[in-house]
């Protein structure tokens, strides 16, 4: 490889062996800055080599004769921490004395203590467990030179941010701070910069935030037909590996079971499974022992598995950045991929929102007919048999059986069809031959004719509090003289919800209901901006 960059020969040799033919743009742009001591925010599409963009300069600049921790890389999930560890170990293969240790929750702490005794120079960690070690004083960062937040925008979201803040307080001021992600909302950049000194913002991303090597399609189907839709798409496209995302763990469990019953070789990963199981399933997927992995968003960020050729959204993700990261598990460096998003009536609105925010056009397609699925399956059998006939397999034992069969009362046709029958995969699910495509438009009830006369409320409770539409109706209508049909456009999201009422109810609702009890919790109300008009066309790029 021709590198127009001075690097240790050990690193060059290792990355050549890893098959890096050239550096990617984000690597070309950020590595020199990092070598020169700058703080950097690196923003580039999924699968463009951001790990090496921070990994290479860290390996180049650390002193591996020393025994203290000099670099800390934080990642949002355990699986990603392990992957970064493995990738950096490959790059460090020829560097003598380089020790990298991963610390993450769910892994026995004794195990980690043992590895930490070997005095690693680099730690890859998830925030929670890193703080545990800090508090136990089993890791010290007094000599830290590099602090990296991979998937930085996720790490700086509420929920993680407190932990991150704690860790920043435990590391020297005199350090380089690096942040990388494929999504960097403006609101987060401000926060990111507060941890950095004159950071260089390197953005290798155009208008659209999704990776354009992924062909993105969506399908309108009823919820109850989504499994059938996946089954058909898997059979027609035949991706090497597929990753299917659901919004909840329960849905992951259910779908996995349904696919197994249909004879699909799959397994699942989500936050309620023991850590060893999570890592085992991922390994099976990596090694193509399973063809399909069903997952929650724990698998949405960072995972790099080349053979993933298709990503399915069984559920439309609730946020646009989830969509970007989910579909970014395919189409990685030099590969192309497909993403298939299954959309039921209530989700269409969200697809348009994702298109608008990511400035991407997701094309509408139709689910293949059952006949098409059969055609493809049949052709595959013919191809397989032809390939076998053309190979130099020894068929002697088979000839013996055949001769016996021919001498029996069966005809040749009968023998062949009976053999084909035996080949059929044993699925316990009956074939669904119906056309499962649906036609519907964005819900009209979402678009009242005149929004200017409406007050829109934000309520601090949502799906995670088991809030339902009728809870909101009961809440509003029991204490206020308002008819249930005047409470409109109810939207229940994970952590909060919205509803609209005619303007003249606004003050009374605020006064009477704010800070009262709902579902045993404090109901905090605030006035929200009017909803974006549904008449507005989404971006078509
Ligand atoms: O973090 P990001 O999504 O940008 O990508 P990654 O997880 O670092 O994955 C990049 C993949 O491309 C890895 O499998 C690397 O081994 C490979 N690669 C690279 O990082 N840089 C190159 N110049 C060539 C290949
Ligand atoms: Mg990455």
């Amino acid at each position: 490889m021709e590198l127009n960059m001075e690097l240790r020969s050990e690193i060059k040799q290792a990355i050549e062996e890893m098959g890096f033919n050239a550096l990617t743009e984000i690597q070309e742009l950020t590595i020199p800055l990092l070598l020169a001591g700058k703080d950097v925010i690196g923003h580039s599409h999924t699968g463009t080599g951001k790990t090496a963009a921070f990994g290479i300069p860290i390996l180049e600049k650390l002193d591996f004769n020393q025994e203290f921790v000099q670099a800390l890389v934080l990642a949002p999930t355990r699986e990603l921490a392990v992957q970064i560890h493995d990738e950096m170990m490959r790059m460090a293969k020829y560097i003598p004395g380089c020790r990298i240790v991963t610390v993450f929750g769910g892994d026995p702490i004794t195990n980690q203590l043992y590895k930490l005794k070997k005095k690693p120079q680099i730690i890859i960690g998830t925030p929670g467990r890193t703080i545990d070690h800090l508090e136990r004083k089993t890791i010290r960062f007094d000599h830290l030179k590099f602090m990296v937040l991979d998937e930085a925008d996720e790490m700086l979201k509420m929920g993680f941010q407190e932990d991150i803040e704690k860790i920043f307080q435990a590391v020297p001021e005199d350090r380089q701070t690096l942040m990388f992600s494929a999504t960097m909302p403006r609101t987060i950049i401000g926060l990111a910069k507060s941890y950095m000194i004159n950071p260089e913002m390197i953005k290798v991303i155009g208008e659209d935030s999704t990776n354009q090597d992924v062909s993105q399609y969506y399908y309108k189907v009823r919820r109850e037909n989504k499994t059938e839709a996946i089954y058909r798409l898997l059979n027609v496209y035949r991706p090497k590996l597929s990753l299917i995302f659901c919004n909840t763990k329960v849905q992951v469990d259910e779908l996995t079971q349904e696919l197994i019953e249909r004879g699909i070789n799959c397994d699942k990963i989500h936050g309620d499974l023991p850590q060893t199981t999570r890592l085992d399933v991922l390994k099976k997927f990596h090694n193509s022992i399973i063809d399909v992995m069903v997952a929650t968003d724990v698998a949405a960020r960072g995972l790099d598995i080349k053979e993933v050729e298709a990503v399915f959204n069984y559920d439309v993700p609730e946020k646009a950045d989830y969509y970007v990261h989910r579909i970014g598990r395919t189409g990685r460096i030099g590969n192309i991929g497909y993403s298939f998003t299954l959309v039921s009536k209530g989700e269409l609105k969200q697809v348009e929102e994702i298109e608008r925010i990511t400035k991407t056009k997701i094309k509408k397609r139709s689910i293949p007919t059952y006949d098409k699925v059969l055609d493809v399956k049949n052709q595959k059998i013919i191809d397989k048999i032809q390939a076998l006939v053309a190979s130099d397999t020894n068929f002697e034992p088979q000839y013996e059986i055949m001769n016996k069969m021919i001498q029996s009362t069966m005809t040749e046709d009968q023998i062949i069809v009976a053999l084909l029958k035996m080949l059929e995969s044993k699925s316990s699910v009956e074939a669904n031959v119906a056309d499962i495509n649906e036609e519907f438009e964005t819900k009209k009830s979402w678009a009242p004719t005149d929004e200017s006369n409406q007050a829109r409320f934000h309520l601090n409770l949502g799906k995670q509090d088991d809030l339902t539409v009728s809870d909101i109706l009961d809440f509003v209508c029991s204490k206020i003289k308002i008819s249930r049909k005047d409470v409109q456009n109810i939207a229940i999201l994970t952590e909060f919800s919205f509803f609209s009422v005619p303007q003249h109810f606004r003050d009374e609702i605020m006064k009477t209901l704010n800070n009262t009890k709902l579902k045993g919790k404090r109901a905090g109300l605030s006035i929200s901006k009017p909803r974006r008009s549904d008449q507005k066309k989404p971006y078509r790029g």
Side-chain angles (χ1 to χ4, degrees):
M1 171 175 52
E2 271 310 301
L3 270 184
N4 47 1
M5 215 175 277
E6 279 300 310
L7 291 175
R8 305 172 60 139
S9 61
E10 294 102 325
I11 297 180
K12 285 190 177 175
Q13 187 184 347
I15 61 178
E16 247 166 58
E17 286 180 16
M18 288 166 73
F20 286 30
N21 296 320
L23 292 184
T24 64
E25 211 175 334
I26 188 78
Q27 292 165 352
E28 292 258 13
L29 291 171
T30 53
I31 295 172
L33 291 173
L34 293 170
L35 293 177
K38 290 268 189 192
D39 282 4
V40 169
I41 298 178
H43 183 188
S44 67
H45 283 300
T46 50
T48 52
K50 291 187 283 297
T51 318
F54 61 76
I56 290 173
I58 287 177
L59 293 175
E60 180 70 28
K61 284 189 79 178
L62 297 196
D63 179 353
F64 294 102
N65 295 317
Q66 302 292 344
E67 299 205 318
F68 39 73
V69 177
Q70 297 163 58
L72 168 64
V73 181
L74 291 172
T77 67
R78 301 152 180 193
E79 288 73 17
L80 183 53
V82 170
Q83 177 184 298
I84 296 169
H85 169 270
D86 295 350
E87 176 93 348
M88 286 194 67
M89 284 299 277
R90 276 196 291 276
M91 296 191 286
K93 183 173 169 193
Y94 297 109
I95 301 179
C98 171
R99 291 177 297 275
I100 310 177
V101 166
T102 330
V103 298
F104 55 87
D107 186 33
I109 201 135
T110 44
N111 199 1
Q112 288 169 11
L113 290 177
Y114 172 77
K115 289 187 202 151
L116 289 170
K117 286 225 170 78
K118 311 222 150 143
K119 310 277 183 197
Q121 299 94 355
I122 303 172
I123 302 276
I124 321 286
T126 53
R129 187 55 69 88
T130 303
I131 290 179
D132 274 359
H133 282 290
L134 263 175
E135 286 170 351
R136 289 163 173 250
K137 299 197 167 33
T138 42
I139 300 183
R140 307 185 70 97
F141 293 127
D142 310 355
H143 298 282
L144 202 78
K145 291 184 184 154
F146 286 98
M147 167 90 169
V148 185
L149 297 192
D150 195 17
E151 306 295 342
D153 58 323
E154 179 75 8
M155 307 297 279
L156 293 171
K157 270 186 199 163
M158 286 205 316
F160 264 135
Q161 204 245 331
E162 256 176 44
D163 286 354
I164 299 296
E165 173 71 34
K166 255 191 202 165
I167 299 171
F168 268 115
Q169 279 173 12
V171 303
E173 299 247 316
D174 173 25
R175 55 151 203 270
Q176 268 178 270
T177 310
L178 288 47
M179 308 233 181
F180 284 87
S181 184
T183 46
M184 268 291 178
R186 224 172 299 148
T187 46
I188 294 280
I189 291 177
L191 179 59
K193 284 184 174 168
S194 71
Y195 293 109
M196 309 175 89
I197 298 169
N198 299 327
E200 295 270 356
M201 178 82 197
I202 303 297
K203 195 170 163 186
V204 190
I205 211 161
E207 272 275 275
D208 45 344
S209 51
T210 61
N211 176 351
Q212 294 303 303
D213 293 331
V214 182
S215 303
Q216 303 172 43
Y217 303 127
Y218 80 90
Y219 303 85
K220 291 181 180 176
V221 281
R222 276 174 199 273
R223 203 169 174 80
E224 62 266 29
N225 285 328
K226 284 189 171 184
T227 310
E228 175 70 21
I230 288 179
Y231 178 78
R232 291 191 192 175
L233 290 167
L234 281 174
N235 272 291
V236 170
Y237 280 87
R238 301 202 163 266
K240 264 191 218 148
L241 296 181
S242 309
L243 191 47
I244 307 178
F245 286 101
C246 303
N247 288 357
T248 64
K249 298 170 207 164
V250 174
Q251 190 59 61
V252 167
D253 291 339
E254 279 179 23
L255 178 60
T256 309
Q257 196 51 43
E258 285 179 54
L259 292 175
I260 289 172
E261 278 163 22
R262 284 167 179 268
I264 288 173
N265 177 19
C266 69
D267 209 337
K268 65 187 174 187
I269 180 166
H270 62 58
D272 278 355
L273 299 169
Q275 192 51 42
T276 44
T277 312
R278 278 168 63 168
L279 287 169
D280 282 349
V281 171
L282 195 60
K283 204 180 218 169
K284 282 200 285 179
F285 191 49
H286 246 293
N287 298 332
S288 305
I289 294 168
I290 50 171
D291 306 323
V292 175
M293 188 166 86
V294 187
T296 56
D297 285 293
V298 287
R301 285 212 180 224
L303 299 185
D304 178 54
I305 302 166
K306 259 183 211 60
E307 288 76 21
V308 175
E309 291 179 338
V311 170
F312 292 79
N313 288 308
Y314 178 93
D315 296 307
V316 177
E318 279 171 13
K319 300 217 176 85
D321 62 322
Y322 287 27
Y323 177 83
V324 173
H325 291 280
R326 283 181 180 187
I327 73 159
R329 296 317 102 216
T330 183
R332 305 182 65 77
I333 295 199
N335 296 293
I336 52 161
Y338 289 97
S339 80
F340 305 113
T341 301
L342 304 178
V343 185
S344 62
K345 200 164 178 174
E347 293 174 311
L348 192 55
K349 183 86 194 130
Q350 183 56 17
V351 171
E352 292 174 0
E353 187 71 1
I354 290 170
E355 287 189 305
R356 188 181 65 82
I357 295 174
T358 61
K359 300 208 173 25
T360 300
K361 166 91 179 109
I362 310 172
K363 296 196 187 96
K364 181 175 177 300
R365 284 281 171 98
S366 300
I367 298 290
T369 60
Y370 185 75
D371 283 348
K372 172 77 186 167
V373 174
L374 268 191
D375 273 357
V376 177
K377 276 185 148 179
N378 292 346
Q379 190 56 47
K380 203 181 157 224
I381 294 176
I382 298 172
D383 291 348
K384 259 191 167 168
I385 293 178
Q386 266 176 344
L388 193 58
V389 169
S391 71
D392 50 10
T393 308
N394 170 20
F395 288 115
E396 234 169 81
Q398 283 75 27
Y399 269 109
E400 225 172 88
I401 307 176
M402 188 193 71
N403 287 334
K404 279 191 185 155
M405 288 199 280
I406 288 178
Q407 284 156 22
S408 75
T409 55
M410 297 183 283
T411 66
E412 280 169 26
D413 290 6
Q414 285 173 328
I415 295 169
I416 293 173
V417 291
L419 285 173
L420 287 172
K421 186 88 193 160
M422 283 169 71
L423 272 182
E424 258 175 35
S425 66
K426 287 174 202 63
S427 158
S428 56
V429 177
E430 256 187 55
N432 173 356
V433 297
D435 176 4
I436 57 171
N437 291 294
E438 290 284 317
E439 267 323 315
F440 47 77
E441 298 306 317
T442 311
K443 263 195 198 156
K444 284 291 175 285
S445 66
W446 276 83
T449 42
D450 184 6
E451 282 201 342
S452 58
N453 279 330
Q454 297 271 314
R456 188 138 180 89
F457 279 92
H458 174 280
L459 171 65
N460 66 329
L461 303 175
K463 271 187 209 147
Q464 69 183 24
D465 310 291
D466 296 322
L467 192 72
T468 62
V469 170
S470 57
D471 288 333
I472 292 187
L473 290 172
D474 293 345
F475 175 65
V476 179
C477 303
S478 61
K479 296 223 180 90
I480 309 283
K481 268 199 162 14
I482 181 174
S483 118
R484 289 172 89 91
K485 75 171 176 15
D486 277 341
V487 183
Q488 289 186 351
N489 300 320
I490 298 175
I492 302 179
L493 310 181
T494 311
E495 294 171 7
F496 46 82
S497 44
F498 296 97
F499 61 88
S500 299
V501 294
Q503 266 308 344
H504 59 274
F505 285 109
R506 194 183 87 161
D507 297 343
E508 191 189 352
I509 288 181
M510 203 59 189
K511 211 167 107 205
T512 318
L513 298 177
N514 190 25
N515 294 330
T516 57
K517 280 249 152 124
L518 172 57
K519 308 278 298 182
K521 295 185 176 157
R522 185 191 68 85
L525 286 171
S526 55
I527 305 291
S528 147
K529 279 194 221 107
R531 246 163 15 81
R532 198 173 53 83
S533 165
D534 293 85
Q535 317 305 342
K536 209 155 72 187
K537 286 266 183 306
Y539 176 89
R540 300 282 176 208

